C-alpha cells in the first residue's frame, strides 16, 4: 500500500503509517503546488492531507482508481471536494474532538488580547515608548456581564461557551440547528436568529465550518449590524469573513476590534488590518499545541490504517455534512 503524506507529521503518526504501508512524505517546508500534489499522489492508496491542499476529483484521478482514503489532518475539510471523492469510492476523514480545547483556548486568548489590548500594550513596551500607570491608561473592555455571541455551537463553540461562562459572560448562539436542550441548559445558552445575535452580542465568535452558506457570512451588512462597541473573533476559516469589508468597518469604527487567527487568502493578510492597533492577529495557531498536533496526526494515521485494513474509517465525513 502506498501512503502519501503531503507535509511532515509527528513521528508518532509516522510509526502507525509505516505499519500500514510504504510511506512517502513531502520533504518540502511549504505546501505542495497543485502540480506537485498531483504528481505526488500518483499510485497512492491513501493520502494524508493538510488544510492547504486542495483535494478534488482531478487529484483523485491523478492518484488512480486504487485510492481508498484521504485523511485530512484538520477538523475542517472545506479544502476537499467530498462529493467528488465519495462518488469515486474514496473515504474522506477529519480529526474532530482532539483539537476542541486547544482551538477554544486560542479563541478565548484572542478575545482577551483584543478586549484588554494585550498586543497593543506589548508593542508599546517593545517600541520603548514612555508610559506610566494612570487611571485612564490603555483601558479595555471588561467581560463580566457582557454577551458572547457564538456562531456555530458545535464542539469548539461549546468549549468557547464554557470558557466564557467562567469569565461571567452571558451566552447567545446561532447556527444551522438548535443545540440539544441539555447543551443549552448546561451553558445557559440562548438561541437567537443570526441577525439578532449580531445586534445583541458584545463579542461575536465564529465557530461554524466554511461552507457555501457561511462564505462571507460576516460581510459589510453583518458588520454594520454589530454594536459599535463589539469585537469579532475568528478562529474557524478566513473566508467566513469578508476581510476587506472587515477592514472598512474597523476603519469606520463600526466595530471596536477583531481577533483573527485565520485569513481569506492565507498566508496573505489584508494589509490594512496589520496597521490597526485594535486588531490582534495570529498565524492559524488554533490547534497548534504539541499535544493536539500529535493527537490530530495520530487520528489521521489511524483512519488510514483502518481503511487500508478494510475496516470502516473512524471519522468519515459525509458529502452534505459539515465539521463542528
Ligand atoms: C484547523 O484549522 C482545523 O480545521 O483543524
Ligand atoms: C493595579 O495594579 C492595582 O494594584 O490595583
Amino acid at each position: 500500500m502506498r501512503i502519501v503524506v503531503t507535509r511532515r507529521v509527528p513521528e508518532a503518526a509516522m510509526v502507525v503509517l509505516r505499519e500500514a504501508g510504504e510511506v512517502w512524505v513531502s520533504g518540502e517546508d511549504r505546501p505542495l503546488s497543485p502540480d506537485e500534489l498531483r504528481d505526488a499522489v500518483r499510485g497512492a492508496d491513501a493520502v494524508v492531507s493538510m488544510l492547504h491542499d486542495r483535494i478534488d476529483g482531478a487529484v483523485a484521478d491523478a492518484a488512480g482508481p486504487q485510492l481508498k482514503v484521504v485523511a485530512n489532518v484538520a477538523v475542517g475539510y472545506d479544502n476537499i471536494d467530498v462529493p467528488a471523492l465519495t462518488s469515486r469510492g474514496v473515504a474522506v476523514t477529519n480529526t474532530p474532538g482532539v483539537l476542541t480545547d486547544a482551538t477554544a483556548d486560542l479563541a478565548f486568548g484572542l478575545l482577551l488580547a483584543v478586549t484588554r489590548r494585550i498586543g497593543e500594550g506589548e508593542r508599546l513596551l517593545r517600541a520603548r515608548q514612555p508610559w506610566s500607570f494612570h487611571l485612564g491608561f490603555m483601558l479595555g473592555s471588561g467581560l463580566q456581564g457582557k454577551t458572547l455571541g457564538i456562531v456555530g455551537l458545535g464542539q469548539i463553540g461549546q468549549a468557547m461557551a464554557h470558557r466564557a461562562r467562567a469569565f461571567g459572560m452571558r451566552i447567545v448562539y446561532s447556527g444551522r440547528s438548535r443545540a440539544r436542550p441539555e447543551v443549552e441548559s448546561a451553558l445557559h445558552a440562548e438561541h437567537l436568529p443570526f441577525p439578532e445575535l449580531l445586534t445583541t452580542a458584545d463579542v461575536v465568535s465564529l465557530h461554524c465550518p466554511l461552507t457555501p452558506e457561511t462564505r462571507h457570512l460576516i460581510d459589510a451588512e453583518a458588520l454594520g449590524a454589530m454594536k459599535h462597541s463589539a469585537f469579532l473573533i475568528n478562529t474557524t476559516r478566513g473566508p467566513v469573513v469578508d476581510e476587506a469589508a472587515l477592514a472598512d468597518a474597523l476603519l469606520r469604527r463600526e466595530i471596536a476590534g477583531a481577533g483573527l487567527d485565520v485569513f481569506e487568502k492565507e498566508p496573505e493578510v489584508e494589509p490594512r488590518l496589520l496597521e490597526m492597533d485594535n486588531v490582534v492577529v495570529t498565524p492559524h495557531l488554533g490547534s497548534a499545541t504539541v499535544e493536539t498536533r500529535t493527537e490530530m496526526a495520530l487520528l489521521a494515521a489511524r483512519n488510514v490504517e483502518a481503511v487500508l485494513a478494510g475496516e470502516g474509517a473512524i471519522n468519515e465525513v459525509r458529502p452534505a455534512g459539515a465539521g463542528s
Side-chain angles (χ1 to χ4, degrees):
M1 296 281 180
R2 174 172 156 79
I3 302 168
V4 168
V5 182
T6 67
R7 201 147 179 187
R8 277 188 206 95
V9 295
E11 181 55 26
M14 289 299 292
V15 170
V16 173
L17 292 172
R18 283 194 211 101
E19 289 285 316
E22 278 295 311
V23 186
W24 178 89
V25 187
S26 166
E28 302 295 341
D29 199 16
R30 57 167 174 78
L32 296 177
S33 71
D35 282 344
E36 290 171 331
L37 181 63
R38 272 193 300 274
D39 282 344
V41 299
R42 232 172 279 285
D45 296 280
V47 175
V48 176
S49 59
M50 306 295 143
L51 53 88
H52 49 58
D53 300 318
R54 172 81 199 141
I55 311 273
D56 54 14
V59 172
D61 291 340
Q66 76 297 327
L67 181 64
K68 294 165 196 64
V69 57
V70 172
N72 211 38
V73 191
V75 66
Y77 48 87
D78 50 278
N79 58 309
I80 298 180
D81 183 344
V82 179
L85 268 70
T86 48
S87 72
R88 287 166 171 79
V90 179
V92 177
T93 69
N94 69 340
T95 61
V98 294
L99 46 66
T100 301
D101 286 321
T103 307
D105 286 348
L106 190 90
F108 210 83
L110 288 173
L111 190 164
L112 285 171
V114 70
T115 58
R116 297 302 301 274
R117 304 172 66 174
I118 293 174
E120 192 183 346
E122 228 234 354
R123 284 192 294 280
L124 177 109
L125 293 188
R126 287 179 184 272
R128 310 271 199 293
Q129 294 292 313
W131 67 282
S132 69
F133 176 93
H134 66 87
L135 292 184
F137 180 55
M138 285 202 82
L139 304 187
S141 307
L143 299 180
Q144 292 74 23
K146 299 283 175 64
T147 298
L148 174 64
I150 294 184
V151 180
L153 196 64
Q155 294 184 56
I156 300 171
Q158 289 175 38
M160 182 68 170
H162 277 293
R163 284 153 180 72
R165 290 276 306 161
F167 280 74
M169 299 185 81
R170 184 170 92 87
I171 311 298
V172 299
Y173 77 97
S174 66
R176 268 176 318 159
S177 52
R178 196 71 191 260
R180 293 192 314 277
E182 59 272 26
V183 170
E184 278 192 5
S185 61
L187 299 168
H188 299 266
E190 183 188 346
H191 181 265
L192 289 182
F194 178 62
E196 232 174 286
L197 175 137
L198 291 175
T199 57
T200 304
D202 298 298
V203 179
V204 174
S205 191
L206 305 175
H207 301 284
C208 54
L210 173 62
T211 65
E213 292 74 39
T214 64
R215 183 174 295 272
H216 283 194
L217 181 70
I218 303 296
D219 58 6
E221 194 190 336
L223 291 158
M226 287 170 64
K227 294 182 184 179
H228 293 311
S229 56
F231 296 88
L232 176 71
I233 307 297
N234 188 9
T235 53
T236 177
R237 285 291 181 272
V240 175
V241 176
D242 179 341
E243 216 165 279
L246 174 62
D248 290 342
L250 285 162
L251 284 171
R252 289 196 220 106
R253 306 253 158 219
E254 285 176 9
I255 67 168
L260 308 170
D261 186 48
V262 290
F263 305 93
E264 260 197 279
K265 298 188 181 74
E266 292 176 15
E268 310 300 324
V269 179
E270 153 74 45
R272 289 178 296 164
L273 294 174
L274 299 177
E275 303 297 322
M276 298 177 197
D277 262 331
N278 53 346
V279 174
V280 177
V281 285
T282 47
H284 206 141
L285 297 179
S287 61
T289 68
V290 173
E291 297 84 354
T292 295
R293 286 288 166 79
T294 302
E295 289 291 318
M296 289 166 70
L298 256 179
L299 190 50
R302 293 204 175 109
N303 273 290
V304 166
E305 180 185 46
V307 174
L308 294 188
E311 299 157 15
I314 306 163
N315 310 101
E316 186 156 2
V317 302
R318 311 208 184 287
S324 60

